[in-house]
């Protein structure tokens, strides 16, 4: 089976070469920016760039990084998940209320919390795929539903406690490296590989780019899209558990702070909001960049308004620089 | 007088057009022929303002012009129609006709009543039977292309560029275009016409320019250039026509059968396909042929009917189930249904067989896959820098090869082809004919829908002609002729006497 | 051969009108009456959202999105509240000029440089949030009550609010009925095709962002008028809600379709749910739960109908 | 159609009946809260409901609405409340000026309006609120005294753009200005949230090796977690009345933690309710601005079971009464258990 029977006149094609897209150029640039910021901060506040300090910042970044992984996957299929804020909170609240500070309750509590993520993801996915509700509306509504459910469940008063084991994971470290950073690194490695090189990743990107093509190629689009929302829900739940452990308790509204930063990190990381392009590497770099930037703004004693302005300008600068770098590539086609 | 002198355009190291000079006097229909990648489209795009040449000049009626954009070209009196339609599918026919210069009322709102009356008049004048308020996306492809052509004509251009503008037109619609071009010629317009159908070139053009590898090979009066000579100039080899491979008689078992398929587009279709058989589907554009193929593949919802693959029923088919059952479907719309344009050649080739790739914990073994891709590229003679190149960087013909190879890798037992040679150059067509013939010889059943009746005659063992969502005629053996296909397509049946002769 | 295609009317705007009518009927049944006072409060509450959503709609038509519209409204309201008591003319013109400039900036960044709209407007969102806090660190300033009477009417004069709401819907409808509006739809439908057909794609898109900024700024001015003061954070609530109103109005985010009146309906639907919750006497802890469910019902109703039809057919 | 008309008539008649009875007991009192997504607000509402159940049974019909942080929505809800013909509206306003017009309208229709927790500028409304500037002064004065007038201080603010944040900060900076040796080395926005406070303070602490005290508007529990996670010494801190903070003041007393707890009590809603009923009964207070004393507790004054509850959630507000109010509520009334 071939287009031509005679093979001898076929020249050996060159080895596959990946065209470096925007997604590949951006992470490096963001890391470069971050390093520049660290150097700057070291000058303002000597000792800032010490290894232990940077590890602390990485630990802070890891929570946003984990939530943003779910958001990345959802945005790769052309969706958006606004429900992660209260899915995270609901999971954290349920976790502490079952765990009650006992390691023995840990498996059950974790399972129950993750079930929240799975369930909300399933409902989100079902509404979006089967009922054709716009993702932005579906997940916004789910966010409200989760908020209400959490209030009803707790009576507005989350209780319980964190078990010592999970607390150790979220706050402890090994050889100077926080466990959270180790965990994030492992998750990030797996995610980058999975999105780029696994069957699942290929399908995800295919559905995100052109659902008609992927459907005609035998891909179960509905399952992939619902799966993406379930995955995002699970990531929000896992982050909720870990973040509650980091904080020592669960609070109402603890997820709100992650919503816009997670979206910002994903888009700044080069994932297209229309799906099909991007990956987690860019998101990781963007999370890192955003954390360093906000830290520098905090230690610079800059007024709240000015911080917002600088953050916005920095994001613009990063994407414009990326655009200028990428311009050379576009012409080479 | 349109004069191009010493036009150059290169992309990186590739010279798309090198040093092409030609001229066309008023009243000329100049045909541009050549294989895909020969530079015809690049040349036309330069004249139309879609791209800017690296060097050389364009002169129109003695004035040097440099079209910077399509809009600029229109202002200069150069209108163009491309194979990729530039109508907005979401909008209505009249909205598309008056996209940039609608009649407006004093307070700037569009005067809908006047627009309606002018649109109706234009459609009537051009003998086009479509409603002015119809959504363009709802029209059959042929009608969309006709609309696109009259929109360009209505701009009253000095120069009209038609790049594969007839590719979606059925036989009667081609007649319509012939009449239109004749009229324009008499009015003294200059027309540049690209087509892969030699018969259209002969019919429409009084002059023809042959391009190969970006260079002008010959420029002649159409009636002085034989088809064989033209092909020789285009390919650089001697040979005639598309050179269809020999048909081999088939005696296989039934591979696929369908009973009474009904949907909103199909009115009770029954089909039997044998192993090793190439079954052609013909007829006017939009008579349910594409829907029938999609129905087999689970991409078009059926209201009733049964499909059997071999002995096994294919219940509630989806593409996924169909692929598992051994079907493969090569869609007509390469760019919207066939390929992921943001992905590499390699990722496109393996998309339908991800399940069969060797993996470790779900992660695809890169070397294994790269090997598969390299072989596929080599087999299909895809012109690419490698499996990692973006598929959108390839020329149309090479994209088509990638698309076909994607489905051949799935090793189907039944292959469904939806007009796969549309807009493809002669060389690639020939390769496609040969490969389909060879897999049919290996026992694969093929259903092949084509808008080109001559192609059906060349490749198919048996032809079903469809009209209005049902099979209007079945032609076998010696009955498969161009005349009968066209006759059945238009009249709904073949002349009685001959069928039983 | 007969004429081939049937004209297809978009049900989008009708559907949202029907949903709104149902919710309104429900409210009236719950409450027993619907007075001029109720009409006024509904219209005035929906007015700001409607304006920002109309701006969002123009941008969504080009397949773009604008997260900065809410903060643009904050800044323009804050500027108005600071300036207008001292200098009425400047107080009305400065916010308008600001809206135009902020919208133009988005347009230039998105179209001129070719950056993705979501990142650009995420950045400008942050910038304008910051700018609002710098202009007006706390809620304050003052807008004389005369403006309230004039632009939105007092509590006993319901019609000015209703008229304002319909007038802005009408103005945007007019904008869409022009050649610009047609080109906007064409770009949303197929940008490349529009470009090849001779549409000035870049100019039209930049204009859409600019008008979006203008409408958001006017929305911010209405906020300042109805609150008699400015607030640096008041627009934040509209960042996502303005998109939600457009979608609830039945406009798909992939551009090209929908009508301004449907967007106004979307704003009304989102506004009326709060009143429904109040009059239904829903326990306070269940309110956000039910609010989410209503949103789902509204957004999912069209899809659910099709889904159930599909199930029945199988 | 006829059926609909009938329903409408029936409902209308009911509404008419209801409105004729409007001026007698039970009083119809509507509460308009803005944001509901944090523990303090939830507890505030629970206290109001419990106070009604305990002390105002049969006397008050309470309805509660949460409109979110959006002042526009709150205006719409207040309009609905006016339209529903309630006797009194208790409002925790999303903005101090935004609601003025609708509040004036309510007053015009003879509805009593009390703004609680946060003030409004409408002159016809009663205001039951603590003085946030005073809270800031109490925190800063305590810290200045504790540090002996010198040291490096970090301020953990709330959400910028809200008067409570500005006022508390004004009180703090006003006091600190008197101590030239106290240096403010960092200012973060903890958004009145433990989790955010913890993250933001971690950032500022990593950049400042020497910090002697932290002034928290809220989120002190999170601030403490930040210190613990970074293995930093437990420095003197101020905080509001959160149970978690008070527990920590006890638990870490031996490790040298010094603290003060003074803040806006969640029972303030119940207090406003009490005043509303008094006014409806004809016993209006002399001043429309009802001053609310700030409950202040230092480590030495902590009594488990009274003003700190080691077994209960750290997120509770631990004050169950306001000095001089005698509301008769217990902490269980605020948890709803």
């Amino acid at each position: 089976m071939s287009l031509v029977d005679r093979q001898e006149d076929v020249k050996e094609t060159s080895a596959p070469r990946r065209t470096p897209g925007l997604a590949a150029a951006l992470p490096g640039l963001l890391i470069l920016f971050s390093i520049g910021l660290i150097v700057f901060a070291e000058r303002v506040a000597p000792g800032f760039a010490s290894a232990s300090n940077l590890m602390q910042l990485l630990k802070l970044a890891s929570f946003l990084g984990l939530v943003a992984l779910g958001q990345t996957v959802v945005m790769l299929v052309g969706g958006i998940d606004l429900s992660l804020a209260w899915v995270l909170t609901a999971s954290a609240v349920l976790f502490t209320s079952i765990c009650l500070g006992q390691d023995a309750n840990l498996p059950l509590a974790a399972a129950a919390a993750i079930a929240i993520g799975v369930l909300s993801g399933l409902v989100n996915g079902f509404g979006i795929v089967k009922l054709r509700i716009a993702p932005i509306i579906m997940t916004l509504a789910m966010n409200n539903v989760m908020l209400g459910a959490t209030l009803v469940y707790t009576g507005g008063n989350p209780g319980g406690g964190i078990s010592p084991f999970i607390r150790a994971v979220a706050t402890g470290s090994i050889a100077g490296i926080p466990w959270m950073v180790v965990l994030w690194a492992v998750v990030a490695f797996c995610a980058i590989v999975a999105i780029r090189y696994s069957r699942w990743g290929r399908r995800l990107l295919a559905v995100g780019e052109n659902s008609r093509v992927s459907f005609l190629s035998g891909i179960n689009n509905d399952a992939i899209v619902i799966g993406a929302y379930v995955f995002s829900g699970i990531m929000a739940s896992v982050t909720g558990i870990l973040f509650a452990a980091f904080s020592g308790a669960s609070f109402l509204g603890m997820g709100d702070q992650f919503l816009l930063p997670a979206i910002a990190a994903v888009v700044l990381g080069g994932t297209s909001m229309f799906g099909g392009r991007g990956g987690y590497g860019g998101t990781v770099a963007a999370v890192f960049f955003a954390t360093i930037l906000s830290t520098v703004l905090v230690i610079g004693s800059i007024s709240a308004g000015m911080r917002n302005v600088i953050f916005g300008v920095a994001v613009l600068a990063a994407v414009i620089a990326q655009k200028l770098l990428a311009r050379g590539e576009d012409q080479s086609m | 007088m349109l004069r191009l002198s010493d036009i150059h355009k290169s992309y990186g190291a590739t010279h798309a057009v090198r040093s092409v000079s030609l001229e066309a006097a008023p009243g000329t229909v100049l045909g541009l022929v050549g294989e895909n990648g020969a530079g015809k489209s690049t040349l036309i795009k330069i004249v139309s303002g879609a791209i800017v040449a690296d060097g050389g000049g364009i002169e129109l009626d003695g004035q040097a012009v440099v079209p910077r954009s399509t809009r600029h070209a229109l202002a200069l009196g150069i209108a163009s129609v491309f194979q990729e339609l530039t109508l907005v599918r979401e909008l209505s026919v009249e909205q598309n006709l008056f996209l940039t210069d609608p009649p407006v009322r004093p307070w700037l709102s569009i005067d809908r009543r006047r627009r309606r009356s002018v649109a109706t008049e234009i459609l009537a004048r051009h003998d086009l039977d479509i409603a002015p308020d119809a959504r363009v996306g709802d029209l059959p492809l042929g009608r969309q292309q006709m609309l696109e052509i009259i929109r360009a004509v209505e701009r009253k251009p000095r120069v009209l560029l038609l790049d594969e503008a007839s590719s979606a037109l059925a036989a009667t619609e081609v007649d319509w275009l012939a009449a239109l071009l004749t009229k324009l010629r008499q009015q003294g317009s200059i027309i540049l016409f690209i087509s892969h159908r030699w018969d259209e070139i002969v019919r429409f053009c009084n002059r023809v320019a042959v391009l190969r590898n970006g260079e002008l090979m010959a420029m002649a009066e159409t009636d002085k250039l034989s088809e064989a000579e033209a092909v020789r100039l285009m390919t650089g080899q001697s040979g005639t026509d598309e050179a269809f491979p020999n048909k081999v008689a088939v005696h296989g078992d039934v591979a696929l059968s369908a009973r009474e398929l009904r949907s909103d587009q199909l009115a009770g279709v029954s089909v039997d396909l044998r192993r090793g058989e190439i079954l052609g589907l013909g007829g006017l554009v939009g008579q349910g042929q594409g829907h029938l193929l999609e129905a087999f593949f689970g991409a078009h919802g059926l209201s009733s009917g049964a499909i059997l693959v071999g002995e096994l029923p294919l219940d509630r088919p989806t593409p996924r189930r169909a692929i598992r059952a051994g079907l493969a479907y090569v869609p007509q719309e390469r760019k919207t249904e066939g390929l992921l344009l943001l992905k590499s050649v390699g990722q496109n080739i393996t998309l339908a067989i991800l399940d069969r790739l060797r993996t470790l914990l779900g992660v695809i073994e890169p070397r294994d896959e790269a090997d598969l891709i390299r072989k596929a590229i080599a087999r299909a003679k895809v012109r690419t820098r490698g499996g990692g190149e973006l598929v959108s960087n390839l020329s149309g013909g090479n994209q088509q090869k990638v698309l076909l190879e994607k489905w051949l890798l799935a090793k189907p037992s039944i292959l469904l082809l939806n007009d796969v040679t549309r807009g493809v150059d002669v060389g690639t067509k020939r390769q496609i004919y040969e490969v389909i013939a060879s897999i049919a010889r290996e026992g694969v059943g093929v259903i092949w829908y084509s808008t080109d009746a001559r192609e059906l005659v060349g490749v198919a063992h048996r032809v079903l002609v469809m009209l209005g969502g049902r099979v209007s005629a079945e032609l076998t053996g010696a009955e498969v002729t161009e005349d009968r296909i066209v006759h059945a397509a238009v009249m709904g049946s073949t002349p009685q006497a001959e069928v039983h002769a | 051969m007969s004429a081939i295609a049937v004209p297809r009317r978009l049900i989008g705007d009708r559907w949202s009108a029907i949903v709104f009518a149902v919710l309104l009927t429900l409210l009236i049944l719950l409450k027993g009456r619907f007075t001029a006072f109720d009409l006024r409060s509904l219209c005035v509450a929906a007015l700001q959202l409607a304006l920002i959503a109309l701006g969002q709609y123009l941008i969504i038509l080009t397949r773009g999105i604008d997260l900065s519209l809410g903060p643009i409204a904050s800044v323009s309201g804050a500027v108005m509240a600071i300036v207008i008591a001292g200098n009425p003319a400047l107080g009305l013109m400065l916010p308008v000029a600001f809206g135009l400039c902020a919208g133009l900036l988005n347009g230039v960044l998105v179209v001129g440089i070719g950056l993705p709209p979501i990142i650009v407007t995420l950045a400008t969102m942050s910038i304008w949030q910051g700018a609002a806090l710098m202009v007006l660190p706390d809620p304050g300033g003052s807008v004389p009550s005369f403006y309230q009477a004039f632009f939105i009417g007092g509590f006993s004069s319901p019609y000015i609010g209703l008229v304002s709401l319909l007038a802005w819907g009408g103005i945007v409808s007019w904008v869409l009925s022009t050649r610009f509006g047609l080109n906007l739809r064409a770009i949303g439908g197929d940008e490349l095709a529009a470009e090849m057909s001779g549409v000035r794609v870049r100019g039209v898109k930049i204009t859409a962002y600019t008008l979006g900024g203008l409408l958001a700024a006017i929305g911010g001015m209405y906020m300042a008028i109805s609150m008699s003061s400015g607030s640096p954070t008041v627009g934040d609530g509209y960042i996502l809600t303005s998109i939600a109103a457009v979608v609830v109005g039945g406009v798909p985010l992939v551009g090209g379709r929908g009508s301004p009146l449907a967007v106004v309906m979307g704003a009304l639907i989102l506004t009326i749910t709060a009143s429904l919750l109040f009059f239904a006497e829903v326990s306070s802890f269940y309110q956000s739960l039910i609010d989410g469910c209503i949103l789902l019902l509204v957004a999912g109703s069209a899809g659910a109908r099709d889904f159930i039809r599909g199930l029945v057919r199988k | 159609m006829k059926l609909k008309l009938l329903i409408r008539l029936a409902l209308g008649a009911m509404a008419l009946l209801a409105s004729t009875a409007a001026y007698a007991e039970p009083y119809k009192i509507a509460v308009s809260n803005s944001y509901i997504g944090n523990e303090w607000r939830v507890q505030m509402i629970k206290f109001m409901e419990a106070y009604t159940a305990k002390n105002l049974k049969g006397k008050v019909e309470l309805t509660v609405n949460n409109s979110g942080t959006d002042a526009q929505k709150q205006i719409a809800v207040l309009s609905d409340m006016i339209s529903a013909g309630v006797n009194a509206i208790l409002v925790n306003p999303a903005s101090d000026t935004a609601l003025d017009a609708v509040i004036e309208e309510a007053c015009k229709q003879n509805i009593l309006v009390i703004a609680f927790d946060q003030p409004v500028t409408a002159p016809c409304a009663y205001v039951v609120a603590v003085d946030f500037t005073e809270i800031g002064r109490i925190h800063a004065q305590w810290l200045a005294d504790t540090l002996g007038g010198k040291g490096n201080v970090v301020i953990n603010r709330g959400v910028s753009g809200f008067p409570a944040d500005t006022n508390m900060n004004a009180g703090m900076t006003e006091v600190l200005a008197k101590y030239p040796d106290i240096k403010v080395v960092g200012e973060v926005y903890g958004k009145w949230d433990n989790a955010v406070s913890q993250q933001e303070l971690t950032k500022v602490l990593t950049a400042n090796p020497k910090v002697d005290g932290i002034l928290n508007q809220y989120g002190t529990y999170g601030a403490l977690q930040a210190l613990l996670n970074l293995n930093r010494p437990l420095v003197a801190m101020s905080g509001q009345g959160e149970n978690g903070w008070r527990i920590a003041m006890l638990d870490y007393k031996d490790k040298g933690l010094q603290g003060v707890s003074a803040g806006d009590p969640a029972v303030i809603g119940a207090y406003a309710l009490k005043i509303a009923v008094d006014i409806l009964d004809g016993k209006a207070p002399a001043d429309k601005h009802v001053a609310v004393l700030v409950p202040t507790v230092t480590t030495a004054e902590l009594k488990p079971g009274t003003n700190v509850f080691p077994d209960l959630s750290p997120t509770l507000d631990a004050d169950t009464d306001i000095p001089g109010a005698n509301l008769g509520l217990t902490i269980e009334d605020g948890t709803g258990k």
Side-chain angles (χ1 to χ4, degrees), chain A residues 26 29-30 33 37 260-261 263-270 286-287 289-291 293-294 297 307-323, chain C residues 67 109 115-127:
Chain A
L26 192 61
L29 189 72
L30 287 173
F33 269 46
L37 281 173
L260 280 177
I263 295 172
V266 177
V267 292
L268 188 57
V287 165
F289 171 70
T291 305
L293 178 63
S294 73
L297 292 181
R307 277 178 207 178
N308 280 330
V309 173
I310 293 176
F311 189 82
V313 171
V315 168
L316 273 184
V319 283
I320 290 175
Q322 165 210 359
K323 184 77 186 175
Chain C
L67 301 177
L109 289 169
L115 301 174
I118 191 166
I119 308 188
V120 166
T121 57
L122 195 74
T124 51
M125 170 190 94
S126 184
I127 291 173

Side-chain angles (χ1 to χ4, degrees), chain A residues 93-151:
Chain A
V93 164
L94 188 66
F95 177 77
T96 53
S97 75
I98 296 179
C99 190
L100 294 170
Q102 304 298 316
D103 272 340
N105 296 336
L106 186 62
L108 179 67
I114 290 172
I116 298 253
V118 173
L119 191 71
S120 64
L122 276 176
V123 176
N124 276 336
F126 180 83
I128 289 160
V129 166
K130 300 291 184 191
L131 302 184
R132 310 233 160 265
I133 301 175
I136 198 164
I137 298 293
M138 181 69 217
T139 56
L140 193 65
M142 174 57 74
N143 195 47
N144 278 354
V145 169
M146 279 290 152
L147 193 166
T150 311
L151 287 180

Side-chain angles (χ1 to χ4, degrees), chain A residues 60-122:
Chain A
L60 280 187
S62 64
F63 299 103
L64 177 58
L66 290 177
V67 189
L69 171 56
Q71 189 70 271
T72 305
V73 167
V74 167
M75 288 181 93
L76 280 178
V77 297
I80 193 166
D81 189 353
L82 302 180
S83 69
L84 59 82
W86 278 87
V87 170
L88 191 156
T89 305
S91 305
V93 164
L94 188 66
F95 177 77
T96 53
S97 75
I98 296 179
C99 190
L100 294 170
Q102 304 298 316
D103 272 340
N105 296 336
L106 186 62
L108 179 67
I114 290 172
I116 298 253
V118 173
L119 191 71
S120 64
L122 276 176

Side-chain angles (χ1 to χ4, degrees), chain D residues 143-255:
Chain D
L143 188 70
D145 293 345
T146 308
L147 296 180
K150 72 175 204 283
N152 290 345
V153 173
V154 171
I155 299 179
N156 174 17
R157 297 183 63 168
V159 181
S160 60
F162 285 84
D165 170 67
T166 324
N167 293 339
M168 274 195 264
N169 198 53
M172 287 178 184
T173 45
E174 174 196 322
V175 172
L176 292 182
K178 289 186 267 180
Y179 297 90
D181 291 337
I182 291 185
K183 213 176 124 212
V184 178
V185 295
E187 186 182 78
V188 299
Y189 288 84
K191 302 194 174 166
W192 297 319
D193 181 286
N194 281 304
V196 179
S197 294
Q198 182 180 356
Q199 291 212 322
E200 293 300 300
L201 282 168
T202 302
K203 289 174 186 169
V204 79
L205 289 170
T206 53
N208 290 289
K210 187 178 172 296
V211 170
D212 303 305
I214 302 174
L215 288 171
N216 297 290
Q217 286 191 1
Y218 193 81
T220 319
Y221 181 82
L224 180 70
Q225 293 298 321
L227 288 173
L228 292 172
N229 269 327
L230 291 170
N231 286 322
R232 297 282 280 265
L234 302 178
V235 299
M237 289 198 284
S238 71
Q240 298 242 339
E242 309 145 78
N243 191 35
W245 168 227
R246 290 189 180 170
I247 296 171
M249 281 161 72
L250 281 182
D251 287 355
Y252 294 97
K253 187 168 64 181
D254 302 337
K255 293 187 180 146

Side-chain angles (χ1 to χ4, degrees), chain D residues 261-276:
Chain D
S261 165
D264 186 16
V267 283
I268 196 163
Y271 185 42
L273 192 55
K274 182 181 178 189
I275 290 171

